Amino acid sequence: MGTTGIAAINPKFLESMAGKTPFLKRMFTVFISQEPKRLEAIRDALETRDVEKLRHLAHALKGGAATMGVERVRDCCLLLENASKASDMDAARTHLRDLETEMRRAYAFMFNYLAEH
């Protein structure tokens, strides 16, 4: 599934945040500062085949991404969570690669937003 043309952040979410720029900037700043650590923990859990930890971390990131309107990240987390429930490490590896790509897109969007506001 290609992501060309699909927004890193849901435009409806951004619309709902109109007039709340300071709050949105704080949310983006926290996401940028916290989530790379969680992504690293997800990589480690996959490497050590700790399916329970992997499921828990993917679930937690899914919730954070959903709150932020980062829907492609949320979708990747759901797939990763399901793969970990099924103990399908090959699928989990594929979903992690997709998740890393979507996280980079989300970070880029957030950094640009912070630079412009």
Side-chain angles (χ1 to χ4, degrees), residues 67-82:
T67 301
M68 303 281 297
V70 193
E71 293 182 354
R72 294 285 306 140
V73 168
R74 182 204 63 204
D75 294 346
C76 290
C77 287
L78 177 60
L79 293 170
L80 187 55
E81 187 180 359
N82 290 340

Side-chain angles (χ1 to χ4, degrees), residues 80-92:
L80 187 55
E81 187 180 359
N82 290 340
S84 64
K85 283 180 189 171
S87 297
D88 186 344
M89 293 297 110
D90 290 336

